[in-house]
Amino acid sequence: MDLDGIRACLESDGWAVEVLSESTLRTKFRCREHVLSLLVHEAPRFATFAVVPFVRMPEDAEAVEAIAERLLRLNRELNFAKFSLDEDGDVLLSVEYRLSHLDPSEVRDAIDVLSFYADKHYADVRALVTVEAPPG
């Protein structure tokens, strides 16, 4: 399957899909109280489905350390998905599939896995990045 096939699969399941480039699609989904962006990127041999940004890293060094530790612990617990950081300091939640074996059921599985873990962990990870202003 290629990116056009992934797009067709998503659209046939009722997802609104935006083409960002010849290798990247974007759609959105609701995670409890938040709407998150889901990017699908086609690279040679792989398709990456990623919630971008899951959260943005704060400026505070102590908070960054706490988030990094929490994400590492979560990565040990997750099946098929992983948390990572991109070059902009955004936390990503992603899954990867080989294009040669990708079929419509796996496209649905990718979205199911990401939405499950987003629902399960968004509030916890978001709380770590929210820095409250001191009273004053």
Side-chain angles (χ1 to χ4, degrees):
M1 180 180 289
D2 61 7
L3 197 63
D4 289 332
I6 295 169
R7 179 181 179 191
C9 179
L10 291 170
E11 290 176 339
S12 73
D13 285 347
W15 293 88
V17 178
E18 178 184 0
V19 177
L20 299 181
S21 72
E22 64 184 32
S23 62
T24 307
L25 306 173
R26 178 174 46 206
T27 190
K28 296 182 180 197
F29 69 95
R30 179 165 293 286
C31 165
R32 296 192 189 192
E33 299 172 10
H34 303 284
V35 175
L36 299 173
S37 290
L38 173 68
L39 297 181
V40 180
H41 181 74
E42 178 185 37
R45 297 189 303 264
F46 288 94
T48 301
F49 297 75
V51 179
V52 181
F54 190 73
V55 295
R56 296 194 190 280
M57 289 295 260
E59 303 273 329
D60 179 57
E62 287 181 31
V64 169
E65 185 176 328
I67 294 163
E69 288 176 12
R70 179 68 179 139
L71 295 177
L72 286 171
R73 284 194 302 274
L74 285 172
N75 276 347
R76 286 187 300 214
E77 299 172 16
L78 302 180
N79 289 318
F80 304 114
K82 65 181 175 187
F83 284 104
S84 59
L85 299 176
D86 70 7
E87 60 277 354
D88 297 325
D90 294 330
V91 175
L92 313 178
L93 174 63
S94 65
V95 295
E96 292 182 335
Y97 286 85
R98 285 193 169 276
L99 287 167
S100 61
H101 301 294
L102 190 62
D103 64 34
S105 70
E106 290 175 318
V107 171
R108 290 180 197 101
D109 287 347
I111 293 171
D112 287 347
V113 164
L114 293 173
S115 62
F116 173 79
Y117 286 129
D119 273 340
K120 185 173 182 177
H121 298 295
Y122 184 80
D124 179 38
V125 174
R126 180 73 188 151
L128 292 171
V129 301
T130 304
V131 178
E132 295 183 19

